[in-house]
Amino acid sequence: MSFQEKIPMNCRQTTLVLSIAMGAFSISATAAQAVNPTITPALSAAAAVSPATVVANYAALVHATYSDTLSATKAMQAAIAAFVKTPSVETLATARIRWLAAREFYGQTEAFRFYGGPIDGDNGPEGRMNAWPMDEAYVDSVEGKPNSGLINNPKFKITKANLAESNERDGEENISTGWHAIEFLLWGQDRSETGPGDRSFTDYVDGKAPNADRRRLYLSVSTALLVDDLSAITAQWTPGSKNYRAKFEKGGKESVRKIIVGLGALSRGELAGERMEVALNSQDQEDEHSCFSDSTHRDIVNNAKGIENVWLGQYKRANGTLLKGPGLADLVALSQPKVAAQTSAQLAASVAAAEAIPAPFDRAVVGGKDAPGRLKIQATIDSLVEQSKLLVTSASAVGITRLNLAQP
């Protein structure tokens, strides 16, 4: 059974590397423990490796990752508030930096998707948080369409409820909310072959651009909606509450199955497929994930890193501490140590391959079959496909054979 064949995908719902964002991700638990006392065990060191302890540690990692994402997104919100209050080159640059920093964390959370959890269950907010690709003209004016978009429609009242209701109305590319709507409002259309979009701060200055006041309001409200959605998801993983986490931690092997489904679906269907193969085949800028900021290469790295985090049962927090506990690798190693080691090596290879993709991604996909950027993207795809197969083998090693799970 392969994830590609058995897991339905609904994947379309869905530069600058800054020290402020994350720091180094490559630290190993063993080396860190030897030189760095800031390792926080998610569970007691004496906890035996079992489905229950792996699930409990996973829940701790999920909550920690969403908490860091929420904090970084609130920092972005503060920077955006400063920008709309006093639009300038400097305040716009800071808002962009904060968007990029928050995305470093959010990209790792996508390993927690694809099994009907709080992010993409029946009433999950994923579609209004990270949907793409986006028809920019649905939100604001674009080249050749100076009056397009909800911002330039005075009859449209800009509220959280109206933005949420308008998201994907009459077409899945009619994106009105989330990361990429905010990204477009900060960077504007990307018309450059060598860099990101270059929207002027004057688009937000009264008298310098039509509907600047509505543009300021739209950016503020869409950011507040994203913070609300992240807050709600984080609350569902908060310990000691009557929430999704409480039920998930009681799920035993079924919860382990869901964890593996999430990793496999992201590995093959979403990351290797929708986010890389589609763009590699079309060579079209519109098929890259974060096209306005030219940070798609970082999306890919952080998605791959998120998968590795879950597999190893560890996550490096924003404050530099390493959260560590029993992971899938430990569980698989109880019965199939060679499979566990092989899978760990393959996941590390995928992260390394993703990190080798040159920026900007929209230039890396262009060219002939042997173009250097395309070869690096293809190498990452190949590694992700191989790791999805190893995840199936790993599931079998712990007695899980039914991996298909219909998407909500």
Side-chain angles (χ1 to χ4, degrees), residues 17 276 296-302 304-305 347-361 363-365 371-381 383-384:
V17 181
M276 299 180 71
T296 298
H297 60 295
R298 294 304 303 168
D299 292 330
I300 295 167
V301 169
N302 286 307
K305 187 62 185 177
L347 266 63
S350 293
V351 174
E355 289 174 335
I357 295 172
F361 181 83
R363 291 296 93 197
V365 298
R374 290 178 62 81
L375 291 175
K376 290 184 183 298
I377 293 170
Q378 187 62 57
T380 308
I381 292 169
S383 186
L384 290 165

Side-chain angles (χ1 to χ4, degrees), residues 103-230:
R103 286 288 291 181
E104 290 285 311
F105 295 99
Y106 184 80
Q108 295 174 79
T109 72
E110 296 208 79
F112 315 142
R113 289 185 53 200
F114 304 110
Y115 55 78
I119 179 70
D120 54 8
D122 290 340
N123 298 309
E126 201 282 330
R128 65 173 174 262
M129 291 173 64
N130 199 37
W132 67 288
M134 175 185 174
D135 178 2
E136 307 97 301
Y138 186 63
V139 168
D140 200 0
S141 55
V142 295
E143 189 173 29
K145 296 181 179 180
N147 300 313
S148 65
L150 299 172
I151 286 173
N152 297 298
N153 178 6
K155 295 181 180 180
F156 179 80
K157 187 175 181 180
I158 300 171
T159 65
K160 291 178 185 177
N162 284 347
L163 291 187
E165 185 180 348
S166 299
N167 194 54
E168 297 184 303
R169 178 189 286 169
D170 300 326
E172 62 181 19
E173 293 188 7
N174 289 344
I175 307 303
S176 60
T177 64
W179 289 108
H180 301 296
I182 296 167
E183 179 192 14
F184 168 58
L185 290 170
L186 291 176
W187 274 273
Q189 289 179 287
D190 179 10
R191 303 186 188 93
S192 170
E193 291 189 357
T194 57
D198 190 26
R199 181 190 286 273
S200 173
F201 76 91
T202 57
D203 283 359
Y204 291 85
V205 178
D206 292 332
K208 297 290 186 179
N211 295 310
D213 56 336
R214 286 177 57 83
R215 192 168 291 107
R216 293 194 301 270
L217 179 61
Y218 197 110
L219 178 57
S220 299
V221 172
S222 57
T223 302
L225 180 59
L226 178 61
V227 169
D228 287 351
D229 284 336
L230 279 169

Side-chain angles (χ1 to χ4, degrees), residues 175-397:
I175 307 303
S176 60
T177 64
W179 289 108
H180 301 296
I182 296 167
E183 179 192 14
F184 168 58
L185 290 170
L186 291 176
W187 274 273
Q189 289 179 287
D190 179 10
R191 303 186 188 93
S192 170
E193 291 189 357
T194 57
D198 190 26
R199 181 190 286 273
S200 173
F201 76 91
T202 57
D203 283 359
Y204 291 85
V205 178
D206 292 332
K208 297 290 186 179
N211 295 310
D213 56 336
R214 286 177 57 83
R215 192 168 291 107
R216 293 194 301 270
L217 179 61
Y218 197 110
L219 178 57
S220 299
V221 172
S222 57
T223 302
L225 180 59
L226 178 61
V227 169
D228 287 351
D229 284 336
L230 279 169
S231 298
I233 295 169
T234 305
Q236 286 297 316
W237 288 100
T238 300
S241 301
K242 292 182 179 179
N243 55 9
Y244 182 85
R245 176 175 178 165
K247 297 176 183 178
F248 190 85
E249 287 186 321
K250 297 176 182 177
K253 188 176 284 189
E254 170 59 16
S255 290
V256 174
R257 186 185 72 82
K258 289 180 178 179
I259 294 170
I260 297 175
V261 164
L263 300 189
L266 177 56
S267 293
R268 182 62 189 101
E270 180 75 12
L271 185 52
E274 284 290 331
R275 300 190 182 187
M276 299 180 71
E277 285 178 330
V278 170
L280 194 65
N281 290 334
S282 71
Q283 301 192 32
D284 187 346
Q285 183 182 50
E286 293 300 314
D287 287 324
E288 70 162 327
H289 198 182
S290 296
C291 62
F292 311 116
S293 63
D294 268 350
S295 61
T296 298
H297 60 295
R298 294 304 303 168
D299 292 330
I300 295 167
V301 169
N302 286 307
N303 284 175
K305 187 62 185 177
I307 296 167
E308 186 181 44
N309 289 346
V310 173
W311 172 258
L312 296 176
Q314 66 183 44
Y315 165 64
K316 188 176 181 183
R317 298 214 59 176
N319 63 10
T321 61
L322 185 71
L323 194 63
K324 175 68 178 172
L328 291 171
D330 301 303
L331 189 63
V332 174
L334 292 177
S335 59
Q336 296 286 346
K338 289 184 179 180
V339 171
Q342 187 179 3
T343 306
S344 295
Q346 192 65 53
L347 266 63
S350 293
V351 174
E355 289 174 335
I357 295 172
F361 181 83
D362 59 2
R363 291 296 93 197
V365 298
V366 174
K369 190 175 181 180
D370 296 327
R374 290 178 62 81
L375 291 175
K376 290 184 183 298
I377 293 170
Q378 187 62 57
T380 308
I381 292 169
D382 293 343
S383 186
L384 290 165
V385 170
E386 183 60 29
Q387 81 179 33
S388 72
K389 296 175 183 177
L390 286 168
L391 287 167
V392 172
T393 303
S394 296
S396 297

Side-chain angles (χ1 to χ4, degrees), residues 50-99:
S50 68
T53 59
V54 168
V55 168
N57 182 55
Y58 171 86
L61 296 184
V62 173
H63 181 254
T65 313
Y66 275 128
S67 294
D68 284 347
T69 305
L70 178 59
S71 294
T73 306
K74 286 181 176 179
M76 177 188 76
Q77 184 180 33
I80 286 174
F83 167 59
V84 298
K85 182 180 180 180
T86 310
S88 69
V89 171
E90 294 77 16
T91 54
L92 177 56
T94 300
R96 289 171 174 174
I97 286 170
R98 292 296 183 181
W99 186 93

